[in-house]
Amino acid sequence: MSSCFTISLSLLFFFINFAATEAVPTFLRHYCPNATLFTPNSTYQSNLNALLSSLSSAAADSADGFANAIVGQNPPDQVYGLFLCRGDIDITTCSNCVATGKQDILQRCPNRQVSVIWYDECMLRYSDVFISSVMEQVPSFTMHHTGNITDPTRFMQVLEETMDDITARASVRKSGKKVAIAEANFTSLKKLHTLAQCTPDLTVSQCNTCLRAAILGLPRGKKGGRMFTPSCSMRFELYPFYNASAIAALVPPPSYLPSPPALVTRRNGTYLFLLFVFR
Ligand SMILES: *[C@@H]1O[C@H](CO)[C@@H](O)[C@H](O)[C@H]1NC(C)=O
Ligand SMILES: *[C@@H]1O[C@H](CO)[C@@H](O)[C@H](O)[C@H]1NC(C)=O
Ligand SMILES: *[C@@H]1O[C@H](CO)[C@@H](O)[C@H](O)[C@H]1NC(C)=O
Ligand SMILES: *[C@@H]1O[C@H](CO)[C@@H](O)[C@H](O)[C@H]1NC(C)=O
Ligand SMILES: *[C@@H]1O[C@H](CO)[C@@H](O)[C@H](O)[C@H]1NC(C)=O
Ligand SMILES: *[C@@H]1O[C@H](CO)[C@@H](O)[C@H](O)[C@H]1NC(C)=O
C-alpha cells in the first residue's frame, strides 16, 4: 500500500518534471483581421516566413526576452515583427514559446497581413506597418478568475495602489526588461500578487500610458484578472503566478521612494537605483 503510494507519487513527480522541461506554451488568444489578406506565394509571404524565422532565432539568445525585426526592401512587401516573453521566464521557455508561435500564427491566421498571438509565456506579432517603438493599445483583451471577492471595496483599493506602484516601476526601466512585480497584503491570510510589463522599445511615458489604461481595463471584483494589449500587459492573482526570484535577479530591487524627482544611476551597464515619481 505504502510502496504503491510512493511509486505513484514518484510517477507524479516524474510527469511534473517532464511537463516542466517540455513545457508547451499556454495559448491565450489570437487576433488577425481577415480584411487584409496577402496573396499566397507572394513576396510578402516569403518575407513573413523570413521574419518569423529571424524572430525565432533571436529568441534563442535574447537576454531581454524581446526582439524586433524588419524584412523586405519596399513598403508594400515589408513585414515588421516582434516578440515579447514574460519577464520572469528563462530563455529556453521563451525560445520554445516563440518557436511554437511561429508555427501557430501561420495556421491560426492564414494569409493575414497583420496578426498577433498571445500565450501565457510570450506574445508574437507582425504587421505590414512599422510597429517598433510604437505604443499600440488595440487589440486588447481581458481574462478573469471566476471567483468573486468578498470585500471588493477594500480589494480594489489595495489593487489600485499596487498596480500604480508596479506601473511606475515597470515604466522607468530604460533598458532590458520593462517589468515589475509586487505583493500586497489583502487580508492577514491573503496576499495579492501582481505583475506589469511593457515591450522594452517603449519610452517611459509610453509604457506608463499603456499600463495606466490597462489598469482601467482590469476586471473588477474578481479574485484574479489580466489585461493584454500588443504593447503591455498586467495581471493580478491571490496566488503567486510568477517566479519572483527571476525578477529579483534582473536588477537589484529598485529603491522606489515616493518623493524625489526622477533619478537613474547607471553603473557598469546595470541600473542600480531607480527612483521615480509620477504624481
Ligand atoms: C472574415 O471573417 C468573417 C467573420 O468571421 C466571415 O464572416 C467572413 O466570411 C470572412 N471573410 C473571409 C474573406 O474569409
Ligand atoms: C504556391 O507554391 C506552392 C509550392 O511552390 C504550390 O504548390 C502552390 O500551388 C502555390 N500556390 C499558389 C496559389 O500559387
Ligand atoms: C460572481 O458574481 C457574479 C455577479 O455578481 C455572479 O453572476 C457569479 O455567479 C458569481 N460567481 C461566483 C463564483 O460566485
Ligand atoms: C504583510 O504582512 C506580513 C505579516 O503579516 C508582514 O510581515 C509584511 O511586512 C506585510 N507586507 C506588506 C507589504 O505590508
Ligand atoms: C526561478 O528563477 C530562478 C532564477 O532565474 C531560477 O534559478 C529558477 O529555476 C526558477 N524557478 C522556476 C520554478 O522556474
Ligand atoms: C564596475 O567596474 C569597475 C571597473 O570597470 C570594477 O572595478 C567594479 O568591480 C565593477 N562593479 C561591479 C558591481 O561589477
Side-chain angles (χ1 to χ4, degrees):
M1 176 72 185
S2 119
S3 73
C4 183
F5 179 71
T6 311
I7 289 167
S8 31
L9 208 59
S10 322
L11 274 176
L12 184 66
F13 279 112
F14 173 77
F15 283 116
I16 286 171
N17 282 331
F18 185 76
T21 49
E22 290 296 305
V24 171
T26 307
F27 171 76
L28 300 178
R29 194 70 70 93
H30 67 88
Y31 176 82
C32 41
N34 64 8
T36 50
L37 302 174
F38 61 74
T39 314
N41 296 349
S42 59
T43 310
Y44 194 87
Q45 178 165 41
S46 58
N47 288 346
L48 172 60
N49 291 338
L51 177 96
L52 293 174
S53 297
S54 142
L55 289 175
S56 183
S57 334
D61 58 15
S62 165
D64 292 343
F66 171 83
N68 51 31
I70 305 174
V71 173
Q73 296 300 319
N74 302 306
D77 295 324
Q78 250 169 352
V79 193
Y80 305 85
L82 59 82
F83 70 83
L84 175 68
C85 287
R86 213 175 72 189
D88 62 320
I89 66 166
D90 59 29
I91 287 186
T92 309
T93 312
C94 176
S95 170
N96 283 344
C97 184
V98 177
T100 302
K102 174 192 165 192
Q103 310 289 334
D104 217 10
I105 204 166
L106 294 175
Q107 263 154 30
R108 292 182 191 267
C109 298
N111 305 335
R112 300 306 202 279
Q113 218 151 341
V114 179
S115 302
V116 53
I117 189 165
W118 285 271
Y119 298 86
D120 201 6
E121 297 83 359
C122 73
M123 180 260 308
L124 174 67
R125 62 185 285 230
Y126 68 82
S127 176
D128 56 353
V129 299
F130 195 77
I131 55 173
S132 177
S133 305
V134 175
M135 196 231 326
E136 188 58 80
Q137 290 173 284
V138 287
S140 68
F141 71 97
T142 62
M143 295 173 71
H144 63 83
H145 192 292
T146 50
N148 294 325
I149 277 297
T150 47
D151 183 357
T153 309
R154 175 167 147 65
F155 184 75
M156 287 314 291
Q157 189 190 333
V158 174
L159 180 65
E160 274 163 23
E161 279 167 16
T162 315
M163 289 312 200
D164 280 354
D165 172 51
I166 57 174
T167 290
R169 288 199 284 115
S171 303
V172 293
R173 297 202 175 195
K174 293 205 171 159
S175 66
K177 297 182 179 183
K178 263 187 184 312
V179 65
I181 55 170
E183 290 171 8
N185 293 329
F186 171 44
T187 65
S188 55
L189 294 177
K190 288 194 177 118
K191 220 177 212 188
L192 178 67
H193 300 262
T194 64
L195 181 145
Q197 186 171 15
C198 291
T199 57
D201 56 342
L202 297 191
T203 63
V204 172
S205 105
Q206 285 174 322
C207 177
N208 187 54
T209 303
C210 191
L211 290 174
R212 295 220 158 270
I215 295 176
L216 300 177
L218 285 171
R220 315 265 125 181
K222 299 292 177 188
K223 286 182 173 170
R226 311 187 210 183
M227 168 87 188
F228 295 88
T229 75
S231 290
C232 69
S233 66
M234 282 195 138
R235 182 175 178 184
F236 68 91
E237 303 287 353
L238 287 173
Y239 60 88
F241 58 90
Y242 46 73
N243 183 343
S245 51
I247 302 279
L250 292 179
V251 290
S255 316
Y256 175 60
L257 302 178
S259 55
L263 167 66
V264 176
T265 306
R266 194 184 168 109
R267 198 198 290 166
N268 293 2
T270 310
Y271 290 97
L272 295 179
F273 303 101
L274 299 166
L275 311 172
F276 209 85
V277 167
F278 280 100
R279 269 157 246 187

